[in-house]
PDB file of all heavy atoms in Angstrom:
ATOM      1  N   PRO A 127      -4.025  13.771  23.062  1.00 46.00           N
ATOM      2  CA  PRO A 127      -3.169  12.798  22.314  1.00 46.00           C
ATOM      3  C   PRO A 127      -2.880  13.300  20.900  1.00 46.00           C
ATOM      4  O   PRO A 127      -3.717  13.908  20.255  1.00 46.00           O
ATOM      5  CB  PRO A 127      -3.950  11.518  22.353  1.00 46.00           C
ATOM      6  CG  PRO A 127      -4.957  11.730  23.382  1.00 46.00           C
ATOM      7  CD  PRO A 127      -5.247  13.137  23.470  1.00 46.00           C
ATOM      8  N   ALA A 128      -1.711  12.992  20.415  1.00 74.00           N
ATOM      9  CA  ALA A 128      -1.294  13.391  19.063  1.00 74.00           C
ATOM     10  C   ALA A 128      -2.206  12.728  17.996  1.00 74.00           C
ATOM     11  O   ALA A 128      -2.468  13.284  16.955  1.00 74.00           O
ATOM     12  CB  ALA A 128       0.225  13.089  18.804  1.00 74.00           C
ATOM     13  N   MET A 129      -2.550  11.490  18.293  1.00 91.00           N
ATOM     14  CA  MET A 129      -3.348  10.693  17.392  1.00 91.00           C
ATOM     15  C   MET A 129      -4.786  10.948  17.604  1.00 91.00           C
ATOM     16  O   MET A 129      -5.331  10.712  18.663  1.00 91.00           O
ATOM     17  CB  MET A 129      -2.957   9.187  17.561  1.00 91.00           C
ATOM     18  CG  MET A 129      -3.331   8.423  16.296  1.00 91.00           C
ATOM     19  SD  MET A 129      -2.758   6.653  16.523  1.00 91.00           S
ATOM     20  CE  MET A 129      -1.006   6.965  16.502  1.00 91.00           C
ATOM     21  N   PRO A 130      -5.501  11.431  16.631  1.00 94.00           N
ATOM     22  CA  PRO A 130      -6.926  11.871  16.849  1.00 94.00           C
ATOM     23  C   PRO A 130      -7.863  10.703  17.149  1.00 94.00           C
ATOM     24  O   PRO A 130      -7.686   9.596  16.718  1.00 94.00           O
ATOM     25  CB  PRO A 130      -7.354  12.358  15.449  1.00 94.00           C
ATOM     26  CG  PRO A 130      -6.415  11.825  14.422  1.00 94.00           C
ATOM     27  CD  PRO A 130      -5.080  11.637  15.185  1.00 94.00           C
ATOM     28  N   GLY A 131      -8.703  10.990  18.172  1.00 95.00           N
ATOM     29  CA  GLY A 131      -9.723  10.020  18.648  1.00 95.00           C
ATOM     30  C   GLY A 131      -9.241   9.096  19.686  1.00 95.00           C
ATOM     31  O   GLY A 131     -10.117   8.273  20.185  1.00 95.00           O
ATOM     32  N   MET A 132      -7.992   9.102  20.068  1.00 95.00           N
ATOM     33  CA  MET A 132      -7.531   8.167  21.082  1.00 95.00           C
ATOM     34  C   MET A 132      -8.006   8.505  22.491  1.00 95.00           C
ATOM     35  O   MET A 132      -8.053   9.660  22.899  1.00 95.00           O
ATOM     36  CB  MET A 132      -6.031   8.092  21.039  1.00 95.00           C
ATOM     37  CG  MET A 132      -5.445   7.599  19.764  1.00 95.00           C
ATOM     38  SD  MET A 132      -5.691   5.832  19.504  1.00 95.00           S
ATOM     39  CE  MET A 132      -4.249   5.176  20.367  1.00 95.00           C
ATOM     40  N   ALA A 133      -8.454   7.497  23.267  1.00 96.00           N
ATOM     41  CA  ALA A 133      -8.823   7.688  24.674  1.00 96.00           C
ATOM     42  C   ALA A 133      -7.664   7.835  25.525  1.00 96.00           C
ATOM     43  O   ALA A 133      -6.578   7.194  25.282  1.00 96.00           O
ATOM     44  CB  ALA A 133      -9.758   6.566  25.077  1.00 96.00           C
ATOM     45  N   SER A 134      -7.806   8.509  26.607  1.00 95.00           N
ATOM     46  CA  SER A 134      -6.762   8.653  27.575  1.00 95.00           C
ATOM     47  C   SER A 134      -6.767   7.400  28.525  1.00 95.00           C
ATOM     48  O   SER A 134      -7.790   6.685  28.578  1.00 95.00           O
ATOM     49  CB  SER A 134      -6.933   9.955  28.463  1.00 95.00           C
ATOM     50  OG  SER A 134      -8.112   9.818  29.239  1.00 95.00           O
ATOM     51  N   ALA A 135      -5.763   7.239  29.334  1.00 95.00           N
ATOM     52  CA  ALA A 135      -5.708   6.134  30.329  1.00 95.00           C
ATOM     53  C   ALA A 135      -6.852   6.293  31.319  1.00 95.00           C
ATOM     54  O   ALA A 135      -7.472   5.278  31.701  1.00 95.00           O
ATOM     55  CB  ALA A 135      -4.337   6.133  31.017  1.00 95.00           C
ATOM     56  N   THR A 136      -7.165   7.483  31.714  1.00 96.00           N
ATOM     57  CA  THR A 136      -8.276   7.752  32.678  1.00 96.00           C
ATOM     58  C   THR A 136      -9.577   7.300  32.085  1.00 96.00           C
ATOM     59  O   THR A 136     -10.420   6.730  32.736  1.00 96.00           O
ATOM     60  CB  THR A 136      -8.290   9.237  33.084  1.00 96.00           C
ATOM     61  OG1 THR A 136      -7.102   9.547  33.645  1.00 96.00           O
ATOM     62  CG2 THR A 136      -9.458   9.503  34.021  1.00 96.00           C
ATOM     63  N   GLU A 137      -9.809   7.676  30.802  1.00 96.00           N
ATOM     64  CA  GLU A 137     -11.071   7.323  30.142  1.00 96.00           C
ATOM     65  C   GLU A 137     -11.127   5.779  30.022  1.00 96.00           C
ATOM     66  O   GLU A 137     -12.278   5.188  30.137  1.00 96.00           O
ATOM     67  CB  GLU A 137     -11.178   7.967  28.751  1.00 96.00           C
ATOM     68  CG  GLU A 137     -11.370   9.446  28.849  1.00 96.00           C
ATOM     69  CD  GLU A 137     -11.152  10.148  27.547  1.00 96.00           C
ATOM     70  OE1 GLU A 137     -10.384   9.643  26.676  1.00 96.00           O
ATOM     71  OE2 GLU A 137     -11.713  11.251  27.358  1.00 96.00           O
ATOM     72  N   LEU A 138     -10.095   5.117  29.708  1.00 97.00           N
ATOM     73  CA  LEU A 138     -10.106   3.661  29.636  1.00 97.00           C
ATOM     74  C   LEU A 138     -10.500   2.987  30.987  1.00 97.00           C
ATOM     75  O   LEU A 138     -11.182   2.056  31.044  1.00 97.00           O
ATOM     76  CB  LEU A 138      -8.785   3.156  29.097  1.00 97.00           C
ATOM     77  CG  LEU A 138      -8.426   3.472  27.641  1.00 97.00           C
ATOM     78  CD1 LEU A 138      -6.985   3.053  27.363  1.00 97.00           C
ATOM     79  CD2 LEU A 138      -9.385   2.738  26.732  1.00 97.00           C
TER      80      LEU A 138
END
Side-chain angles (χ1 to χ4, degrees):
M129 200 173 294
M132 296 287 274
S134 67
T136 299
E137 290 168 336
L138 291 172

